[in-house]
Amino acid sequence: MDPDAVVVGSGPNGLAAAIAIAQAGRKVAVFEAEPVIGGGTRSAELTLPGFVHDVCSAVHPFARASPFFRTLPLALYGLEWIEPPAMLAHPFDDGGCAMIYRSVEQTAAGLSRDAAAYRRLIGSIVDAWPRIERSVLGPVRWPAHPIALARFGIDALRPAAGLCRSVFHGDRARALLAGIAAHGMLPLDRLPTAAFGLVLAALAHIAGWVVPRGGAQRIADALAAHLRALGGELFTGTRIGSIDDLPRAKAVLCDLSPRPLLRIAGHRLPAWYRRQLERYRYGMGVYKVDWALDAPIPWRDGECRRAATVHLGGTLDEIERAEREVWDGRPPERPFVLLAQPTLFDSSRAPAGRHIAWTYCHVPNGSGADMLARIEAQIERFAPGFRDRVLARAVMGPADIERRNANLAGGDIGAGVTDLRQMFLRPTWRMYSTPVRGLYLCSASTPPGVGVHGMCGYFAAQRALNEVLR
């Protein structure tokens, strides 16, 4: 019996779409090209036996905060969140460190003269989150609470660098928010980079920058287990060369960014829509390094050991310069480095007494630059003696990342530039539908965009259920 719906790709969005369809009583099948499900939520022994590394995403505030995932019984399938004592550490050359804790008050207290400004800026978003959550993590539509959303938008639509300099007076608070905003993979003088910093900072207090016990794979495995419990089917190691090869179904939902979508469905799309997809802009790539370590990272400031996530980039000026260089096509000499150290809080990921570290920095899309020495230099800058603790390394440049996940063209883990022009004008904002009836996009290239929250898949599934699966 043919399924009612087929999903191509088993990332969090593909699995979320399949679950939403299965919950509605429809028969659904998921096809994954790789031998292991998960897309951006996979784990593997990348360095040495017994060392479990996250292949792409590692820290998951969006997953814990997701309005859809919160409704699912994922804990029944083994998903357990670990919340470290601190959400984020940002060390400086003077040996000090700025920290974000789950508590807004505790965080603000560490920012001295910027304490009140932090409470006003981030605390107000935390307070408003129940009213703006569906707008931030959903498609463009008239908001249920327009005044609350407008207040958020006044700051969110600004360039992050300008917001940091106008709101904060001290270097620590400015750098702290700038590093979070740099997750948006845009120059910090561009609109709307402040939005990335504000949302992720607020989520540190709302949901926590948590890690899943055992690795990111546990998220995908729990979603897949729930899907199977609902009667859904999963087929791995099944690469789809053309949507014509899929089983007959009323709906086909593609957890794909535009480039791989064109490869399998371009011949079915009208020429004008193909041209729009071809013009879709991918953004910065990433250069990723995983380490197996014989001991924890020897941070100069011991407070860094309280956080699973550490940002290495120094001041706002330095982070701003590094991100601008990447955008302009130059691999930075001093890259902004995002680091996770999950084994400080999850011993299941490494042999007894051993540890792992996960990092990446931004590079130009498709860059072949070797950033290993530069990344390690940034870690040594704040943790002298780090290299002495390395047992093994696994390096992935942009081409390696794309080979592991075709959605991440040129190593772009954001699945597309998220500046204002592409955010509102890109063809993937067609409310998940394509011009072909029954063919939908449900990847991070659709709203609300990048993040392990499953909302792109959920909303695409609702669209399909309303249009062709009634």
Side-chain angles (χ1 to χ4, degrees):
M1 178 179 174
D2 287 332
D4 298 304
V6 168
V7 177
V8 180
S10 69
N13 284 309
L15 293 172
I19 289 170
I21 291 169
Q23 285 178 327
R26 305 295 188 268
K27 184 175 174 59
V28 61
V30 178
F31 292 87
E32 168 58 49
E34 301 298 325
V36 178
I37 63 166
T41 51
R42 285 180 289 167
S43 303
E45 293 182 340
L46 299 177
T47 55
L48 299 172
F51 290 81
V52 178
H53 304 272
D54 291 329
V55 175
C56 187
S57 61
V59 182
H60 295 94
F62 279 116
R64 197 185 203 186
S66 167
F68 183 52
F69 289 169
R70 291 202 311 260
T71 69
L72 306 179
L74 300 182
L76 295 179
Y77 304 105
L79 180 59
E80 178 186 352
W81 295 116
I82 296 174
E83 184 173 312
M87 303 301 107
L88 171 66
H90 188 123
F92 296 93
D93 290 313
D94 64 4
C97 191
M99 306 287 291
I100 290 187
Y101 300 97
R102 185 69 182 273
S103 162
V104 173
E105 285 299 322
Q106 185 180 4
T107 302
L111 296 175
S112 60
R113 59 177 174 162
D114 286 315
Y118 187 89
R119 288 190 206 99
R120 285 194 302 270
L121 182 65
I122 305 301
S124 64
I125 300 171
V126 173
D127 293 341
W129 190 253
R131 299 187 295 279
I132 66 175
E133 173 187 63
R134 285 281 175 166
S135 296
V136 175
L137 295 179
V140 176
R141 56 187 173 184
W142 185 255
H145 300 279
I147 295 175
L149 186 64
R151 287 173 178 160
F152 165 72
I154 288 171
D155 288 324
L157 293 177
R158 294 179 61 181
L163 180 68
C164 292
R165 291 190 174 98
S166 64
V167 171
F168 299 127
H169 299 287
D171 289 340
R172 277 165 165 64
R174 288 176 173 178
L176 189 65
L177 185 58
I180 302 172
H183 284 249
M185 301 177 71
L186 286 169
L188 298 185
D189 61 355
R190 296 285 294 268
L191 306 172
T193 45
F196 300 103
L198 295 176
V199 169
L200 283 170
L203 284 178
H205 306 297
I206 294 163
W209 283 21
V210 293
V211 296
R213 187 176 299 280
Q217 187 70 50
R218 299 296 178 88
I219 302 173
D221 290 347
L223 290 168
H226 186 53
L227 175 60
R228 291 189 180 101
L230 294 170
E233 295 183 290
L234 282 138
F235 301 93
T236 58
T238 307
R239 189 171 297 278
I240 304 301
S242 167
I243 58 171
D244 298 337
D245 300 332
L246 292 168
R248 292 173 61 105
K250 294 178 181 178
V252 175
L253 294 92
C254 296
D255 185 4
L256 303 173
S257 67
R259 192 174 295 174
L261 176 69
L262 281 166
R263 282 199 286 267
I264 72 164
H267 64 288
R268 296 274 296 276
L269 301 170
W272 63 268
Y273 189 66
R274 287 200 306 271
R275 287 193 294 271
Q276 287 189 2
L277 293 178
E278 289 163 357
R279 288 196 294 267
Y280 184 83
R281 293 175 298 132
Y282 290 92
M284 299 176 182
V286 302
Y287 186 101
K288 182 173 180 289
V289 187
D290 291 277
W291 289 272
L293 305 173
D294 67 4
I297 297 173
W299 299 109
R300 182 183 293 114
D301 189 326
E303 287 294 290
C304 289
R305 297 186 183 93
R306 304 185 67 195
T309 305
V310 184
H311 284 169
L312 306 175
T315 64
L316 162 60
D317 289 344
E318 185 180 333
I319 297 168
E320 184 178 17
R321 182 167 53 253
E323 297 302 285
R324 168 52 65 182
E325 289 174 349
V326 175
W327 185 259
D328 290 341
R330 302 190 307 275
E333 286 300 320
R334 273 191 156 187
F336 172 62
V337 174
L338 300 93
L339 182 146
Q341 46 185 4
T343 43
L344 290 180
F345 317 99
D346 179 9
S347 60
S348 71
R349 302 197 198 189
R354 305 304 192 188
H355 288 269
I356 62 170
W358 168 106
T359 68
Y360 71 85
C361 73
H362 299 148
V363 293
N365 190 279
S367 172
D370 183 354
M371 300 296 291
L372 176 60
R374 300 180 207 186
I375 289 176
E376 291 193 343
Q378 285 288 66
I379 302 174
E380 285 276 344
R381 173 181 170 189
F382 302 104
F386 165 76
R387 288 191 183 96
D388 296 335
R389 301 194 173 179
V390 173
L391 298 172
R393 300 169 177 83
V395 174
M396 286 190 283
D400 305 306
I401 289 166
E402 184 174 357
R403 272 193 292 272
R404 286 179 175 270
N405 188 337
N407 281 337
L408 311 183
D412 177 7
I413 59 174
V417 174
T418 50
D419 60 8
L420 282 181
R421 179 162 67 92
Q422 186 150 283
M423 185 177 292
F424 292 108
L425 298 180
R426 61 186 180 183
T428 57
W429 281 89
R430 294 175 54 86
M431 292 300 288
Y432 313 99
S433 299
T434 72
V436 176
R437 181 171 173 78
L439 179 62
Y440 301 88
L441 270 174
C442 66
S443 70
S445 299
T446 64
V450 65
V452 178
H453 42 60
M455 299 307 294
C456 310
Y458 170 79
F459 285 114
Q462 299 309 309
R463 184 81 170 183
L465 286 165
N466 289 331
E467 290 184 347
V468 298
L469 294 175
R470 287 179 293 188

